Amino acid sequence: MKFSGGFNISIPGRPSADLERLPEPRELHIPLRTRRFHFSHLEVSQDDHVRQGQVLARDPENFAIPLLSPRRGTVCLNKYEGHITLENIETAEEEPFDPDSRQGHVPHGRWGEGGMKRFQLKEQGVWEFFSDAHTGTLPDPMAQPSGIIVTTLNLEPFTARGDIQLETRLNSFTRGLEHLQSLLEYQPIYLIMPESGSDIAKEISRQVRGYASIRLTTVEPVYPNDSPALLARQIGPSHAPEHPVWALDVAGVLAVDRCLTYSLPSTIRIITVGGPAVSNPRHLMAVAGYPLTSLLEREVSGGHPRVVNGGIFHGETLSNNQQGLDSECRGLTLLEEPGKPTFLGWMRPGAKKKSYSKAFIGNLIPSASNKLETALNGEKRPCIACQYCERVCPVPILPHQIHKDLYRDALEDIERSGTELCIECGLCTYVCPSKIDLRTEIVEARGRLQELQSELEQTDNNAAEE
Amino acid sequence: MKPVMKIFDILRPLFDEGGKMKPLRCVFDAAENFFFFHNEPTEGAPHLRDPLDIKRFMGMAIIAIAPAALAGVYFFGLRVLAMIAVSYAVGGSIEAAFAIIRKEEITEGFLVTGLIFPLILPPGLPLWMVAVGVAFGVIVGKELFGGTGRNLFNPALLGRAFLFLGYPAAMARDYWMEPGTGPVGRLIQFAGAVDAETVATPLSEAREAIFADTGALMWGNVSGSVGETSALLIAAGGIFLIATRIANWRTVAATLGSFTLLGLFINHLTPADFGPIGWHLLAGGLLFGTFFMATDPVTSPVSDGGKWAYGILIGISTLLIRNLTGWMEGVMFAILLGNIAAPVMDEVALRLRQKRLIKIKLKNWENAVEE
């Protein structure tokens, strides 16, 4: 599948294939808020003894998905606000799934086998790995999707790499795909692989060849070609509210396999710690709630790097309040904050810089590193219509045009510009030499258009009622 | 470096709130950001940004134009440096004045305009005319429209057009100079003699069907405007700009391509008094205008299709104005004409693009309906 635009920012700190099991902590501080979820409905109380895999809390806004306890321990609710702390940690054997113990929530006697499987996926912490390809939100576990997209690529710097997780678990992965197939009624599963054709890719294509509804698709490994929204649009099944497209990554498929084959919950998370401020970027096997202070102490040798929960395009800076890894964490990216301003910095040849334009010596040297700090790298200026944003954008919209129309408050012009196509990859903001925050502006334009539309619908409804 | 930083630190309180020179804050900021690369941290995602900024963008353009400017000094003397200094001083002061009045920052657009403007003038032009021209160009061509990023016309060209129409004899006849020769040229001279009788430019010679030698046109030992004589250096700079993705290749290809095609066609019809197409391409300000002024991103169309149409308009207009009108030089008016047409070209290109977008959205809907 071919995409236009896109750009790979090659910064140092790509996590290696090493997978390290973190030493067992003494306590776990499990945040109740993650990127998409807020586990506000607690099911345990202070000083409860919980089993490994037991439900600690649920998110009432998101189909009551559970937050599972990664270890056996004692609950403490008032140590850190917004966290469930587990003390006296012990690793225990996980108990297989017993649907009757969860009956309290929804009567499942009426469901068929498919319904039971979905219930089990949800209850054993696997549903967290699913997202709606177009919106990124949690899809309804009981709805029938029009297709499933499984991406093996993680192109945003830096989150857990799919190829690393696949390497030793190919059979589990294939079995997971079979399980997914059993949830569908012949709707296709699209398996997205990079074009490079590594050994793993060949092995996978061999293994899935027999399955009619698993379609192997290759994409160039350029960010944001791993975006489910982009892939879903290009593949075909289009967004209609009753027939969403589900998206999963490799970790999700492995979790599906673990759940439906062994009836075991998934509480282990594979995360990365990467970025230029890390001396040994690699993968880590951790659990939700792992204390961040001890984790970061081992990684940060000196200075105060910016710790981003996620990658550089979508991740948020870790707040001081967060004490442990959240259950949706896929990686921590450590970036260097800007130091003292360099003398005549903008004039320097830039042997250690690479740019989307080719205006640095580093662009001519393929092996040159790209030393980027979390600096704006320039002052905010008016748009000079250089067209970099347009060229790097993977969908056919014109960010500079939207910027100009927003500046003039010309909402009718924005309507024609296709703001709803934006997948919010953030590349336009990254490349802009005038340092304009284009992504925020496009999202703002989209919001204003929606407001306008709902206002118009209101007046239409009012007029109809009269 | 440290002492410079200290100077700024000492002066900063004067420009802060309550300081005596608070209104001139933008001048202080411009100077400080010139010397010390501004690195405020990003707020939120994306956490990193491309290292290219507008200062460097303009700096690349200056690097590309510098060889032609230095050749101008070699051919026409140190006076060229005086012209450049006047241009920067007068134009820069006007930019600063507008920034102070508007309480905005001084932007870098003028770094390039200030260098280009003297390079398109006759080498002997009195310095006061240079000052008047750049003032007009910056005020009417740029500031009246809202400053950097919002100007309709190329300010350097508008200034030149003002001088051309206001002082026609000075601009078209009186101040040409013979180029310096030898290893030193005019590098140790302030200026050569300006003599309306004996100095003719390649374009004026062509009126008597004398076509200068292509070799001379390539290297630049012909008379003409300060920076436009050396085709080789201009082309080198232009290709540098295209290779670093600062200038767009479409405008250049469209301009030179349409110019060449039309020129070949006319040459085929009247070879005797039209001259070889190579001469046409290298003589006068065509190359300078194409590489450094038509490619200005702000005044050229934003869309790719628009850029093709823009280049074709400029190429054809230059040829026609040069050969079918009383003016000897056509590029200036052709580019200004293109600047006027650019917004319309963009509007057409945008409408066509939106039709395509609607088709994409319809395609998505069809898929939904099929399911």
Side-chain angles (χ1 to χ4, degrees):
Chain A
M1 225 184 326
K2 288 272 169 245
F3 294 103
S4 60
F7 182 59
N8 273 335
I9 301 166
S10 41
I11 55 172
R14 183 160 189 250
S16 65
D18 298 335
L19 181 57
E20 179 187 319
R21 187 171 214 122
L22 285 175
E24 277 297 303
R26 269 184 261 127
E27 296 178 323
L28 290 176
H29 307 293
I30 308 170
L32 293 175
R33 258 195 210 279
T34 68
R35 191 174 48 91
R36 288 183 294 169
F37 310 129
H38 180 37
F39 298 104
S40 49
H41 190 121
L42 293 174
E43 289 196 359
V44 292
S45 346
Q46 178 74 16
D47 299 325
D48 274 358
H49 293 291
V50 292
R51 298 180 310 279
Q52 186 151 327
Q54 182 173 339
V55 177
L56 294 173
R58 288 181 188 270
D59 182 345
E61 311 278 323
N62 272 303
F63 308 105
I65 63 158
L67 176 66
L68 302 180
S69 173
R71 293 280 181 266
R72 182 194 289 180
T74 319
V75 171
C76 174
L77 292 176
N78 46 29
K79 191 147 192 193
Y80 292 112
E81 194 185 322
H83 292 71
I84 294 181
T85 304
L86 288 184
E87 297 163 339
N88 309 318
I89 305 287
E90 278 174 357
T91 315
E93 223 182 86
E94 286 153 327
E95 297 160 13
F97 183 58
D98 175 16
D100 295 319
S101 69
R102 310 285 175 98
Q103 176 114 32
H105 256 264
V106 188
H108 54 74
R110 297 177 289 134
W111 297 335
E113 198 184 315
M116 272 308 301
K117 283 189 184 171
R118 288 148 185 258
F119 182 67
Q120 186 173 353
L121 286 177
K122 190 184 79 152
E123 289 299 309
Q124 296 212 283
V126 179
W127 200 246
E128 271 188 40
F129 291 92
F130 284 71
S131 68
D132 179 313
H134 289 283
T135 62
T137 55
L138 196 70
D140 182 357
M142 296 305 159
Q144 188 65 255
S146 56
I148 300 184
I149 295 177
V150 175
T151 47
T152 59
L153 295 161
N154 287 81
L155 296 167
E156 181 188 0
F158 294 113
T159 49
R161 285 164 54 185
D163 53 338
I164 305 295
Q165 297 174 68
L166 268 182
E167 237 156 67
T168 48
R169 321 251 210 101
L170 206 46
N171 287 328
S172 309
F173 183 74
T174 325
R175 213 166 40 203
L177 289 178
E178 287 176 36
H179 283 302
L180 283 174
Q181 219 179 344
S182 71
L183 292 177
L184 304 171
E185 299 162 8
Y186 304 110
Q187 284 92 354
I189 297 179
Y190 298 94
L191 186 56
I192 312 294
M193 312 264 316
E195 263 171 15
S196 44
S198 61
D199 291 332
I200 298 240
K202 295 199 184 106
E203 190 56 39
I204 293 181
S205 49
R206 243 183 10 97
Q207 293 213 2
V208 303
R209 198 174 298 154
Y211 299 97
S213 54
I214 298 184
R215 302 191 191 158
L216 214 54
T217 315
T218 55
V219 299
E220 208 186 327
V222 174
Y223 178 78
N225 290 356
D226 61 331
S227 152
L230 198 61
L231 293 163
R233 272 186 227 154
Q234 195 85 329
I235 288 174
S238 150
H239 181 54
E242 330 77 72
H243 297 297
V245 179
W246 291 350
L248 286 212
D249 59 354
V250 170
V253 175
L254 294 174
V256 167
D257 170 60
R258 186 174 157 81
C259 171
L260 294 178
T261 312
Y262 304 110
S263 262
L264 293 176
S266 288
T267 50
I268 291 193
R269 298 284 183 266
I270 302 218
I271 68 166
T272 52
V273 60
V278 174
S279 44
N280 182 13
R282 62 203 187 290
H283 289 71
L284 300 173
M285 212 185 289
V287 292
Y290 198 93
L292 282 171
T293 33
S294 56
L295 203 162
L296 291 173
E297 255 167 26
R298 305 165 72 229
E299 305 304 323
V300 179
S301 38
H304 298 283
R306 182 184 294 196
V307 184
V308 174
N309 184 357
I312 60 179
F313 285 109
H314 293 109
E316 283 179 19
T317 314
L318 212 54
S319 80
N320 291 329
N321 298 333
Q322 189 167 339
Q323 300 295 327
L325 287 174
D326 60 274
S327 62
E328 278 200 283
C329 179
R330 285 288 193 270
L332 297 173
T333 311
L334 271 59
L335 304 166
E336 283 163 6
E337 293 274 10
K340 291 209 303 243
T342 45
F343 185 63
L344 293 179
W346 57 279
M347 277 194 214
R348 297 190 177 189
K352 287 206 193 136
K353 293 212 197 290
K354 287 183 198 278
S355 162
Y356 182 68
S357 68
K358 309 269 182 259
F360 291 84
I361 297 212
N363 282 109
L364 295 173
I365 309 170
S367 59
S369 65
N370 191 5
K371 288 203 135 297
L372 284 179
E373 303 159 336
T374 58
L376 215 54
N377 287 323
E379 303 113 292
K380 298 201 177 90
R381 288 281 175 261
C383 170
I384 57 163
C386 62
Q387 284 185 291
Y388 289 170
C389 55
E390 175 187 336
R391 295 197 200 292
V392 85
C393 181
V395 299
I397 64 178
L398 300 173
H400 53 76
Q401 189 64 40
I402 298 177
H403 167 76
K404 279 204 181 101
D405 292 336
L406 205 61
Y407 185 82
R408 298 182 298 142
D409 269 333
L411 283 182
E412 335 75 56
D413 288 330
I414 296 179
E415 221 175 335
R416 312 183 282 173
S417 306
T419 53
E420 67 273 14
L421 292 179
C422 174
I423 60 170
E424 297 184 45
C425 65
L427 280 175
C428 50
T429 308
Y430 176 82
V431 297
C432 181
S434 296
K435 311 303 169 192
I436 302 172
D437 197 345
L438 289 162
R439 179 167 68 177
T440 314
E441 294 197 359
I442 297 177
V443 171
E444 183 192 325
R446 195 158 52 180
R448 281 167 71 165
L449 268 187
Q450 280 170 354
E451 264 176 38
L452 194 64
Q453 263 181 336
S454 52
E455 268 174 43
L456 287 175
E457 277 172 17
Q458 273 280 30
T459 43
D460 277 348
N461 289 341
N462 292 343
E465 281 166 27
E466 282 167 16
Chain B
M1 181 169 66
K2 279 257 173 74
V4 185
M5 179 84 99
K6 267 212 174 123
I7 298 176
F8 279 110
D9 285 333
I10 294 172
L11 289 176
R12 191 170 296 121
L14 270 178
F15 295 93
D16 270 337
E17 293 295 332
K20 275 189 280 190
M21 294 167 75
K22 171 77 176 33
L24 296 180
R25 178 68 200 234
C26 56
V27 179
F28 177 80
D29 281 339
E32 189 181 17
N33 287 326
F34 182 89
F35 285 105
F36 292 101
F37 191 52
H38 184 82
N39 62 353
E40 85 187 63
T42 50
E43 299 167 359
H47 294 272
L48 299 178
R49 299 294 184 99
D50 194 283
L52 183 73
D53 71 317
I54 294 297
K55 275 205 185 51
R56 195 183 177 89
F57 195 93
M58 301 302 170
M60 302 294 279
I62 293 182
I63 292 177
I65 300 172
L70 293 174
V73 180
Y74 167 83
F75 286 127
F76 302 113
L78 298 171
R79 191 173 192 284
V80 170
L81 294 176
M83 290 167 77
I84 295 178
V86 166
S87 167
Y88 271 122
V90 173
S93 315
I94 296 177
E95 283 262 340
F98 271 92
I100 292 169
I101 295 171
R102 287 189 182 136
K103 300 201 176 74
E104 285 179 356
E105 295 180 30
I106 302 180
T107 56
E108 296 82 359
F110 185 67
L111 291 179
V112 178
T113 311
L115 183 61
I116 286 184
F117 184 68
L119 299 184
I120 53 178
L121 300 174
L125 200 71
L127 293 176
W128 69 265
M129 279 196 204
V130 176
V132 166
V134 79
F136 183 85
V138 172
I139 295 178
V140 176
K142 198 161 129 178
E143 298 301 340
L144 284 189
F145 286 95
T148 305
R150 297 169 193 135
N151 43 302
L152 180 62
F153 294 107
N154 189 313
L157 278 177
L158 200 69
R160 185 187 206 271
F162 172 74
L163 288 179
F164 193 76
L165 298 172
Y167 310 100
M171 288 289 288
R173 194 193 63 200
D174 291 340
Y175 291 107
W176 303 117
M177 215 189 269
E178 277 297 333
T181 49
V184 164
R186 296 196 192 282
L187 284 174
I188 47 173
Q189 235 184 8
F190 189 65
V194 288
D195 194 337
E197 299 296 319
T198 58
V199 181
T201 63
L203 287 175
S204 60
E205 283 177 340
R207 299 271 148 163
E208 284 111 50
I210 302 173
F211 299 108
D213 164 49
T214 318
L217 286 172
M218 281 288 251
W219 289 111
N221 344 16
V222 290
S223 70
S225 299
V226 172
E228 66 187 27
T229 51
S230 175
L232 209 62
L233 293 178
I234 294 172
I239 292 174
F240 171 75
L241 278 187
I242 294 175
T244 51
R245 289 215 233 181
I246 303 287
N248 196 314
W249 63 271
R250 292 172 181 83
T251 315
V252 172
T255 310
L256 296 179
S258 60
F259 184 91
T260 309
L261 286 176
L262 188 59
L264 285 171
F265 178 65
I266 297 185
N267 191 23
H268 185 73
L269 296 178
T270 59
D273 40 32
F274 188 68
I277 192 64
W279 178 89
H280 273 282
L281 274 175
L282 300 179
L286 174 69
L287 286 182
F288 192 91
T290 306
F291 282 113
F292 302 130
M293 292 193 280
T295 52
D296 171 28
V298 177
T299 50
S300 60
V302 165
S303 51
D304 287 342
K307 284 190 160 84
W308 286 109
Y310 178 71
I312 292 173
L313 176 65
I314 292 178
I316 294 179
S317 305
T318 307
L319 194 71
L320 297 178
I321 294 176
R322 267 190 192 174
N323 295 289
L324 301 182
T325 69
W327 305 119
M328 281 191 302
E329 178 55 90
V331 167
M332 162 179 64
F333 292 126
I335 295 182
L336 288 174
L337 196 63
N339 288 339
I340 297 175
V344 170
M345 292 171 177
D346 265 339
E347 185 65 28
V348 170
L350 203 63
R351 296 260 173 109
L352 290 175
R353 194 199 177 95
Q354 278 156 4
K355 282 208 187 128
R356 202 181 116 212
L357 264 186
I358 292 177
K359 272 204 203 136
I360 292 178
K361 289 193 233 180
L362 281 178
K363 193 173 90 138
N364 281 343
W365 265 113
E366 278 165 24
N367 285 339
V369 167
E370 272 168 20
E371 299 265 329

